[in-house]
Amino acid sequence: MEYIFVLAMVGLAAAMVGGGLFFSRLVAPHNPGGNKSVPYECGEQPIGQAWIQFNVGYYLFGLLFLVFDVEAALMYPWAVVFRSTGLPGLIEMLIFVLVLVIGLIYAWRKGVLEWV
Amino acid sequence: MTHPMLAIPAALPAGSPWGAQTLAERASASQNLWVTAGYFLLAIVGVTVLLTLLGMVLIYVERKVAAHFQCRIGPKRVGPFGIFQTIADTLKLLFKEDFVPPQADQVLHILAPFLALLVPVVLLALIPYSPMTQIADLNIGILFVTAIGGFGVMGILIAGWSSNNKWSMIGAMRAGAQIISYEISATLALLVIVLFSGTMSLSGIVHSQSEGWWVWRGHAAGFTAFIIYLIASTAELNRTPFDIPEGESELTAGFHTEYSGLRFAFFFLAEFINMFTVSALTATLFLGGWMPFHVGDWAVLNGAMDAIPPGVWFLGKTSAVIFLIMWIRWTFPRLRVDQLMHLEWKVLLPIGIANLLIAAVLVLTNFYPFPH
């Protein structure tokens, strides 16, 4: 039942956007074309598309994020049951985190964390 | 060993009618289909009203606060003290042309505002406003909040990419890199609270703070987590000093450069409601949610504090955090991209990991400043 309510909220967001756009279409003017069709670049004529290759640095941070976010997702159930696992749970998580920290140190030393 | 200066919110009164907490619980408890449907409708209407009201109030407050920080007066012409300024702005945006640029990806360009608005709408349903007022209390509460909150970056990335505009593209890529980076720190800070309370349900976390709010009962670890979460969530909101994704002076408007009319308004609304949800979560997780402020054994003070309704407590704490975020925005200059990445990966992340392990040791030794 809880999830049905959450799902209803997704529907509500869709209805808000859809309804708002529909109402706006009814009352707002609509005449595309002319210089409005040119991408906005502070009055300059744009040269080429915007869909180009971009800085590889974003990709490296994406990879790092993936590692640490999966780690964090894995740590949620550990955090919930931590009181019952006690010291062994802490030691196991310590080893797990240590591996990831070594990875972070490696990336740090390799200069991945420097923005170029 | 209770320190008289530290606050201890009261435990729940036994046998109180605060049993069934959420609308969803009440809906599933009722046998009548019409009653269930009524709760359903109540939830939808409630969130709609809350969303509209919050959008109006927050945008007005932001403008007023910004104005007073800059020794201006702010909006004052539309209605008394300018309180209808936001309504006027919304109407203006409604009557503006809703324009999809021909070079853009037509489908994704319209989908992006929906993804952006989805996050605050779903999160509003999960927040415990008071013991009786919550729409759905998931048992994986915080995990769900993190997951849905992480979804917000999709709206921004899709908006920037689908616009096929260079400013939008740069803004979206920066926003993506920034939000995913700071999300790690925010998650690690939330993990500290899960460790302390031993539950992921948001109302369960509020109940776990009946002997003291985690921001001080969690010792230095709780306070550090609070600060980390505040910084990381400000960065996730793309607010100054972390506003390089939309830095007006260099990228015109960042990812929503090509958005006009009502779909721009949706991005704007989503941003402001996100500020509320982040502040509400901060209040819920670190500042005791709707728990009243209690000091040791001072019965008179505690009684007076109990007289204030929980909903007011919640709103008060949330407003305080919102004001803090606004204060930060109008005080600090914008960070550079390299400074931003340095702060997250070389400062916040190591501190966050160390803080989490310290918190684990605190939980293991049962080392809390307040007795059970």
Side-chain angles (χ1 to χ4, degrees):
Chain A
M1 190 53 101
E2 313 267 332
Y3 286 97
I4 296 175
F5 273 72
V6 170
L7 207 62
M9 293 306 142
V10 178
L12 176 66
M16 271 181 178
V17 174
L21 289 183
F22 178 71
F23 189 66
S24 167
R25 180 56 65 91
L26 290 184
V27 295
H30 189 70
N31 45 352
N35 275 339
K36 265 189 279 184
S37 353
V38 183
Y40 179 75
E41 280 188 22
C42 310
E44 298 287 324
Q45 282 292 328
I47 300 170
Q49 291 251 322
W51 293 336
I52 50 167
Q53 292 179 330
F54 45 82
N55 193 347
V56 71
Y58 292 110
Y59 179 68
L60 292 174
F61 279 105
L63 275 181
L64 274 176
F65 158 75
L66 201 63
V67 172
F68 280 96
D69 210 44
V70 171
E71 170 222 2
L74 202 68
M75 278 164 103
Y76 271 112
W78 167 76
V80 172
V81 298
F82 181 65
R83 275 168 210 273
S84 49
T85 55
L87 192 60
L90 178 64
I91 291 169
E92 280 168 22
M93 193 43 76
L94 213 57
I95 295 167
F96 177 65
V97 170
L98 200 66
V99 173
L100 285 164
V101 167
I102 290 170
L104 182 68
I105 292 170
Y106 177 74
W108 194 328
R109 297 285 295 173
K110 279 280 178 185
V112 175
L113 304 184
E114 299 295 330
W115 189 262
V116 278
Chain B
M1 59 175 286
T2 310
H3 194 279
M5 293 304 288
L6 293 175
I8 305 179
L12 273 176
S16 68
W18 299 351
Q21 284 160 6
T22 67
L23 281 182
E25 266 176 37
R26 271 171 242 151
S28 56
S30 73
Q31 301 296 319
N32 192 334
L33 192 68
W34 287 106
V35 176
T36 310
Y39 280 123
F40 211 66
L41 202 68
L42 186 66
I44 285 176
V45 172
V47 169
T48 313
V49 170
L50 192 65
L51 197 77
T52 324
L53 216 62
L54 277 176
M56 299 283 173
V57 172
L58 282 177
I59 293 171
Y60 172 75
V61 168
E62 165 92 58
R63 296 180 68 169
K64 272 292 187 195
V65 167
H68 283 283
F69 269 111
Q70 297 166 343
C71 299
R72 294 185 287 117
I73 298 171
K76 68 165 194 169
R77 284 181 188 273
V78 191
F81 304 105
I83 50 172
F84 298 131
Q85 182 68 48
T86 321
I87 300 177
D89 287 345
T90 316
L91 282 177
K92 185 203 79 173
L93 283 170
L94 186 64
F95 286 100
K96 289 284 176 187
E97 181 174 1
D98 178 34
F99 181 69
V100 183
Q103 84 279 3
D105 189 313
Q106 307 290 321
V107 179
L108 292 182
H109 201 256
I110 294 175
L111 185 70
F114 162 66
L115 285 178
L117 197 64
L118 177 72
V119 177
V121 172
V122 172
L123 290 191
L124 280 183
L126 299 175
I127 295 167
Y129 300 97
S130 82
M132 302 282 282
T133 323
Q134 187 182 7
I135 290 173
D137 182 34
L138 306 179
N139 55 358
I140 57 159
I142 291 192
L143 189 60
F144 195 79
V145 165
T146 318
I148 289 288
F151 212 67
V153 69
M154 293 300 293
I156 290 174
L157 273 179
I158 288 177
W161 187 83
S162 69
S163 295
N164 200 355
N165 176 312
K166 283 155 198 147
W167 300 139
S168 307
M169 188 70 176
I170 299 171
M173 293 314 293
R174 284 182 180 181
Q178 173 179 320
I179 295 176
I180 61 171
S181 297
Y182 280 84
E183 200 168 304
I184 300 171
S185 282
T187 314
L188 287 175
L190 295 181
L191 266 168
V192 170
I193 301 303
V194 180
L195 263 181
F196 281 145
S197 57
T199 173
M200 286 198 272
S201 128
L202 288 178
S203 72
I205 288 169
V206 175
H207 285 285
S208 76
Q209 298 178 78
S210 57
E211 282 159 20
W213 306 347
W214 288 126
V215 66
W216 45 65
R217 190 168 177 244
H219 238 272
F223 190 71
T224 313
F226 173 68
I227 298 292
I228 289 179
Y229 186 71
L230 205 61
I231 296 173
S233 52
T234 311
E236 282 191 71
L237 291 171
N238 291 337
R239 288 175 69 86
T240 323
F242 304 100
D243 70 336
I244 53 156
E246 41 186 302
E248 303 94 326
S249 48
E250 32 182 311
L251 292 178
T252 53
F255 63 87
H256 54 63
T257 304
E258 291 287 339
Y259 279 86
S260 61
L262 205 57
R263 281 180 300 131
F264 165 73
F266 284 136
F267 276 115
F268 206 64
L269 180 69
E271 200 168 296
F272 274 86
I273 307 297
N274 269 333
M275 182 166 72
F276 173 81
T277 50
V278 160
S279 308
L281 283 173
T282 314
T284 305
L285 299 170
F286 297 98
L287 304 178
W290 41 258
M291 288 280 176
F293 182 85
H294 280 187
V295 178
D297 307 322
W298 296 6
V300 181
L301 180 81
N302 295 352
M305 291 297 177
D306 282 336
I308 302 172
V312 176
W313 274 110
F314 175 81
L315 274 182
K317 288 171 192 176
T318 309
S319 312
V321 179
I322 288 176
F323 180 72
L324 189 61
I325 292 178
M326 286 180 179
W327 191 355
I328 291 171
R329 170 167 181 176
W330 298 107
T331 303
F332 292 109
R334 183 182 301 154
L335 291 173
R336 276 201 324 262
V337 185
D338 59 330
Q339 293 169 334
L340 190 89
M341 291 303 175
H342 179 92
L343 175 67
E344 161 60 22
W345 292 96
K346 298 186 178 175
V347 181
L348 287 186
L349 182 62
I351 293 177
I353 292 176
N355 189 45
L356 182 67
L357 295 176
I358 292 170
V361 173
L362 285 182
V363 172
L364 203 63
T365 51
N366 230 346
F367 186 61
Y368 297 118
F370 303 112
H372 275 286

